[in-house]
Amino acid sequence: MKRYQKWLGGLIVSGTVAGFAFRTGTLPAPAAQNLTPSPAQVSQQSAQSRPQTAKPEASQFSQFRLRLLDAVGRADAKFIRATVTPQTQWNYGGTLNLDSYNINSNQSKFWPHMDKALKLGCGADSEAQVADKEPGSSVWLCPDLTKVKESVRPDRPNFGNLAIVGQNVNVRAEPGMGGRVIGSVSNEYVVFDSAAYSSLPAGAMEKMQADPLGGWTPVRLRNGQRGWILNQYVYDEENDYRVSFVRSRGQWRLRYFLRGNGN
């Protein structure tokens, strides 16, 4: 009988504890566990708690490019000089330098040509071998003609020598923003329409050549259509300028500013 009373008493106590836990939302403390983190957990926690100060290189260059475009728009010669090093190339013969472009003048041809190269977009070349380049960084090239070159395929050979850089670039019947839009091209090569160019008055020819952004280029498309495209989107690999930048000792440096083949 006593044994039965002890068993019944224990059962009542257990039920009381369980009922209290249910009403209060608390449970008895679990048995002690081994809370020592594994090496993998330590590594993961360390990486998560480490300050994320380094920005991706593409983001860094994008920000630099925006600052550079702003400086070019203001003809900020001081900003440009801060990017130039003794190794900066101006032509392959070594006969030109920064002073050759007289960047102290806002009328220098340096400004519109640098502006055009940057606005056409830039691409990274991670394979380029450049002295003093920061380890793991890329060399940046402007303009980036990757998409234009990809338009050339065995079943679609190169059609012309002028690269149209951009998506759905308007082709107009006459030069000028008021010209009727007769078509569009996207990242492909077109032919320079020498006949249309020769028909222009002498003054108009000079204006077309002098304005790398606001002028107009006569072109002939793959389908035979003739028209005009704003110079801002037209890149002549033989005559237009190309630029390159490299990250060195914590700063972006101008690697080269070359016209066409560099001469």
Side-chain angles (χ1 to χ4, degrees):
M1 181 66 178
K2 290 183 180 180
R3 183 182 303 172
Y4 172 77
Q5 289 175 339
K6 289 181 180 181
W7 173 81
L8 182 61
L11 183 62
I12 293 172
V13 171
S14 299
T16 303
V17 172
F20 176 79
F22 178 79
R23 290 194 303 271
T24 61
T26 62
L27 294 171
Q33 299 177 4
N34 181 12
L35 300 179
T36 303
S38 66
Q41 291 174 322
V42 171
S43 177
Q44 181 180 10
Q45 292 171 359
S46 175
Q48 291 174 344
S49 62
R50 191 181 302 124
Q52 300 296 315
T53 55
K55 298 180 180 178
E57 188 193 27
S59 175
Q60 289 182 341
F61 180 78
S62 178
Q63 293 180 26
F64 166 73
R65 176 175 168 270
L66 290 176
R67 295 196 304 271
L68 180 56
L69 278 168
D70 177 69
V72 170
R74 294 181 287 104
D76 187 343
K78 183 178 179 180
F79 188 101
I80 297 300
R81 287 196 176 90
T83 69
V84 174
T85 72
Q87 288 73 42
T88 301
Q89 284 185 286
W90 304 95
N91 68 333
Y92 290 129
T95 56
L96 299 178
N97 56 36
L98 181 60
D99 293 335
S100 304
Y101 290 95
N102 187 28
I103 65 171
N104 288 326
S105 170
N106 60 8
Q107 299 301 312
S108 168
K109 68 178 183 178
F110 173 88
W111 302 115
H113 286 294
M114 175 65 84
D115 196 30
K116 179 176 181 177
L118 293 170
K119 284 181 176 177
L120 286 174
C122 306
D125 180 1
S126 59
E127 303 299 325
Q129 301 297 318
V130 180
D132 294 331
K133 179 171 71 74
E134 288 187 0
S137 65
S138 300
V139 171
W140 289 81
L141 311 175
C142 315
D144 180 11
L145 301 181
T146 301
K147 291 184 178 179
V148 180
K149 294 182 183 298
E150 288 175 350
S151 70
V152 179
R153 305 185 299 268
D155 62 331
R156 196 173 186 271
N158 189 6
F159 178 69
N161 60 341
L162 297 181
I164 307 303
V165 186
Q167 194 72 22
N168 298 322
V169 177
N170 285 332
V171 181
R172 298 182 182 273
E174 304 87 23
M177 296 305 290
R180 179 171 54 90
V181 176
I182 58 175
S184 67
V185 293
S186 299
N187 294 307
E188 63 180 271
Y189 287 100
V190 298
V191 171
F192 179 74
D193 191 345
S194 56
Y197 182 76
S198 300
S199 66
L200 293 171
M205 288 184 183
E206 294 175 0
K207 186 177 181 179
M208 297 292 178
Q209 292 177 327
D211 191 349
L213 292 171
W216 293 82
T217 298
V219 300
R220 182 164 53 86
L221 309 185
R222 185 178 294 273
N223 62 6
Q225 194 171 33
R226 298 172 184 269
W228 299 78
I229 295 179
L230 186 64
N231 282 355
Q232 178 178 334
Y233 303 100
V234 181
Y235 185 76
D236 181 354
E237 296 182 64
E238 294 184 2
N239 295 293
D240 277 327
Y241 285 78
R242 51 197 172 92
V243 298
S244 176
F245 300 91
V246 62
R247 184 86 174 169
S248 176
R249 300 178 184 179
Q251 295 187 41
W252 290 103
R253 301 294 189 181
L254 179 60
R255 181 181 168 218
Y256 61 65
F257 179 79
L258 298 171
R259 180 180 183 181
N261 57 13
N263 297 319

